[in-house]
Amino acid sequence: MTFHVLTIFPDFFRGPLDHGVVARALKAGLFEVRIHNLRDFAHDRHRTVDDRPFGGGEGMVLKPEPIFEAVETIWPERHAGRRVILLSAQGRLFNQHLARQLASYDELLLICGRYEGVDERVAEHLADDEISIGDYVLSGGELAAAVVIDVVARLLPGVVGNEASVRSESFSTNGDGPPILDCPQYTRPAEFRGWRVPEVLLSGNHAEIRRWRQRAAWEKTMRLRPDLIERFGARLPDPRTETEGKVSAKLGRN
Ligand code: SAM
């Protein structure tokens, strides 16, 4: 997959994509990121990409001409494998489900807004989708683009070494169950400042460990993110009272 990013701050992406699995996968050529400087598509002496808002008001707005020209230059042809995404606080909310859909495209082109935002004609007539990474206002779309790239990239084949871990992590449905959180994880030492790791994890009994993880994941979801289950609209089984087989089937876990 190729991610294109259209931005007035091309250097922004030096840091976020230079670490961990994403950096390794980029180096191995498992996906590609191409950064495009919006100012390269402005033709006046000052490479102007913004102007004052019609109707008055604070701040500046990114002009439509350089953005349309950039997208039409990067992709002279649009097809079903390509998707233009405008990062915007007003967009539909980005989540793991949307990330899985985006991971099925060949190429994504992410437009990063700045200032007061982007001339609305970009959302209306150029972008296929307007996406927000959360209900808050960032100072620019670059951070949001980096989030989208990170989340989508790790769903691509080979990016995360152990693909089973991607299938069973937080928000994965792994079947037809609700997208619950991952179970709590512990590592050595078994006791730290008097806090002991749950005994079952040290037992070597894999069936018991699996049962404990299912129950712990369910309890953590109920405690911290009950909305995930409510939104799913299903009556959840209570793993404390139901048998392992029934619970894992309903939770969509193996
Ligand atoms: N005036 C806009 C509003 O109230 O919705 C906010 C503009 S914001 C300061 C500048 C740019 O940051 C936006 O054009 C968008 O590209 C990006 N941005 C801000 N919040 C975002 C979010 N939650 N998700 C994605 N992009 C965001």
Side-chain angles (χ1 to χ4, degrees):
M1 172 183 250
T2 301
F3 297 90
H4 298 267
V5 183
L6 188 59
T7 171
I8 59 168
F9 294 125
D11 289 345
F12 182 95
F13 293 88
R14 289 225 175 116
L17 304 177
D18 279 355
H19 306 277
V21 289
V22 166
R24 274 199 298 279
L26 266 173
K27 218 170 174 182
L30 296 179
F31 70 96
E32 220 182 311
V33 178
R34 295 195 198 154
I35 309 293
H36 307 270
N37 188 341
L38 181 61
R39 292 195 191 279
D40 291 345
F41 301 91
H43 300 294
D44 64 316
R45 202 154 50 92
H46 303 289
R47 304 171 84 203
T48 308
V49 293
D50 59 321
D51 207 336
R52 290 190 302 278
F54 277 127
E58 296 302 309
M60 302 295 271
V61 175
L62 285 181
K63 291 158 65 62
E65 308 98 303
I67 298 180
F68 272 76
E69 186 178 321
V71 172
E72 288 160 1
T73 304
I74 297 164
W75 287 343
E77 282 170 22
R78 303 272 288 269
H79 59 65
R82 294 175 163 169
R83 200 140 180 97
V84 176
I85 293 168
L86 173 65
L87 279 325
S88 155
Q90 300 146 31
R92 62 181 175 131
L93 273 185
F94 184 61
N95 59 21
Q96 197 73 13
H97 178 69
L98 181 49
R100 276 192 288 272
Q101 292 178 350
L102 295 181
S104 68
Y105 288 91
D106 302 326
E107 296 185 75
L108 300 179
L109 197 163
L110 306 169
I111 302 172
C112 305
R114 277 276 156 180
Y115 315 124
E116 286 307 307
V118 177
D119 186 289
E120 190 66 15
R121 285 165 289 191
V122 170
E124 287 171 347
H125 305 294
L126 184 66
D128 298 304
D129 215 336
E130 197 172 344
I131 290 179
S132 162
I133 62 160
D135 289 342
Y136 39 74
V137 179
L138 300 163
S139 49
E142 289 76 11
L143 209 49
V147 167
V148 170
I149 293 172
D150 186 278
V151 177
V152 173
R154 61 194 302 288
L155 297 175
L156 302 175
V159 171
V160 173
N162 180 0
E163 290 187 20
S165 77
V166 173
R167 281 198 302 276
S168 66
E169 63 191 359
S170 295
F171 312 112
S172 55
T173 54
N174 209 358
D176 59 359
I180 66 170
L181 302 178
D182 198 1
C183 62
Q185 304 282 359
Y186 297 89
T187 186
R188 274 181 278 272
E191 183 163 334
F192 171 66
R193 296 189 176 177
W195 299 305
R196 254 192 96 63
V197 164
E199 236 23 83
V200 61
L201 297 179
L202 311 176
S203 69
N205 181 334
H206 295 294
E208 276 298 317
I209 291 172
R210 205 165 45 245
R211 254 195 302 275
W212 181 87
R213 285 186 166 153
Q214 287 165 354
R215 189 164 53 241
W218 185 81
E219 283 170 358
K220 193 161 186 184
T221 308
M222 289 300 281
R223 183 160 46 88
L224 297 179
R225 293 295 307 275
D227 58 297
L228 290 174
I229 292 161
E230 284 154 15
R231 215 182 305 150
F232 190 78
R235 186 194 75 81
L236 255 194
D238 184 342
R240 288 164 297 197
T241 55
E242 302 211 15
T243 62
E244 185 200 348
K246 274 162 92 185
V247 170
S248 37
K250 287 188 186 174
L251 290 176
R253 297 221 156 174
N254 303 321

